[in-house]
Amino acid sequence: MSADPNKKSARTFQCRDVLWGAFEQMAQDLECSVDYLINEAMKQYARQRSQDSGRPPYTSPVREPAPVQGGAAQSLSPQAQGAGVSAPPQVGARLPPPPGRGPSPPPPSRGPLPPPPPARMPSGPIPVATRSTLPPQSRTVPPPLPRAPTPGNNGGFAAAAAQTAALTLVYQGERFPVTKDRFVIGRGKQSSDLTLKDPNVSRQHAMIEFQNGVYFMVDMGSTNGIEFHGQRVARKQITEGDTFRICDHDLSFTYR
């Protein structure tokens, strides 16, 4: 033993992981170091063995100050309690008597572990959330295919798709090419692409919308609406030669 009782040296020993984790949690709760807790436990154990064997009791030459006040040493975290470790002993408290000195029996030999049971497939329909392993961001949706031409379609989607290269609006003999996906028609000068000077026309009355290769005439919630062949319409596909009426204004369309 060293002549200096206060000298401290680094030691190496084997410890159970769960016990070391409990000491670390206790040191964090008590706001002290793990070395301090281990030294205190060894001093208490040495005092207990000295009392049981009749040897002079062990006395610490220098006592470190207590890390916290107010009984914080009695509180343990759930991790330390689950590990089966009690609160650190107070200074002067008696520890339970140590176990017998007989050699510990060797651990029982373990045979080969049985193979894990085969995985069972879940019964019933597979949830929608597990049918695809790709995140939504990585999925690519192909563009919609054009509809095949059918006889008697009267210039349907296929005919209009072939004519969308140059849609022109004819108003009062003047031609206005539609070059935007949302061509607005209304009374407002700054909010409309074609201005109709009429108080009965709404500020944003109608819109020519280009969608999936097809042009549509769409009512934008106007007061007097849109008429086609004398009937009010909310949305209609634009074909060659169609004429729509907004209040007293006739708007014709051509792809030529």
Side-chain angles (χ1 to χ4, degrees):
M1 180 177 295
S2 175
D4 186 5
N6 295 326
K7 182 180 179 181
K8 295 182 180 180
S9 303
R11 307 295 180 181
T12 303
F13 65 97
Q14 294 183 353
C15 177
R16 295 181 182 271
D17 293 342
V18 63
L19 185 60
W20 185 263
F23 266 91
E24 288 182 338
Q25 185 62 40
M26 292 164 59
Q28 182 179 0
D29 296 340
L30 298 176
E31 298 181 358
C32 63
S33 63
V34 179
D35 295 343
Y36 174 77
L37 289 181
I38 295 178
N39 278 271
E40 288 297 317
M42 295 177 66
K43 287 190 292 185
Q44 294 294 335
Y45 184 77
R47 290 194 186 100
Q48 181 65 31
R49 293 302 301 270
S50 299
Q51 294 176 3
D52 294 343
S53 61
R55 299 177 182 177
Y58 168 79
T59 57
S60 176
V62 178
R63 179 174 298 176
E64 299 182 10
V68 293
Q69 299 179 358
Q74 302 297 330
S75 61
L76 293 179
S77 64
Q79 177 183 0
Q81 295 178 2
V85 179
S86 59
Q90 299 180 356
V91 178
R94 293 176 61 86
L95 295 176
R101 296 183 179 180
S104 58
S109 60
R110 296 182 180 179
L113 297 177
R120 298 180 59 185
M121 296 298 295
S123 59
I126 301 176
V128 178
T130 61
R131 291 180 181 177
S132 176
T133 59
L134 294 177
Q137 294 80 0
S138 62
R139 299 177 185 172
T140 58
V141 180
L145 298 176
R147 296 180 57 182
T150 55
N153 196 19
N154 193 15
F157 284 91
Q163 299 170 347
T164 55
L167 176 64
T168 302
L169 186 154
V170 181
Y171 171 63
Q172 293 183 350
E174 187 176 358
R175 298 169 65 92
F176 298 89
V178 179
T179 58
K180 301 173 59 176
D181 292 343
R182 296 170 64 90
F183 189 92
V184 180
I185 304 171
R187 188 182 74 250
K189 295 182 179 179
Q190 299 180 355
S191 59
S192 301
D193 298 298
L194 175 62
T195 304
L196 303 181
K197 299 179 181 180
D198 190 337
N200 295 322
V201 178
S202 300
R203 187 175 299 275
Q204 288 186 335
H205 197 104
M207 173 181 61
I208 303 172
E209 183 180 18
F210 181 74
Q211 185 178 12
N212 296 332
V214 182
Y215 285 100
F216 295 90
M217 173 65 81
V218 182
D219 188 358
M220 299 182 67
S222 62
T223 303
N224 296 319
I226 305 171
E227 292 185 1
F228 180 76
H229 291 175
Q231 295 183 357
R232 185 165 180 171
V233 294
R235 180 185 179 90
K236 184 187 179 303
Q237 177 186 341
I238 302 175
T239 58
E240 173 64 30
D242 285 348
T243 299
F244 295 86
R245 188 174 183 83
I246 298 178
C247 297
D248 296 332
H249 307 273
D250 292 332
L251 306 177
S252 302
F253 295 91
T254 180
Y255 290 95
R256 301 173 183 174

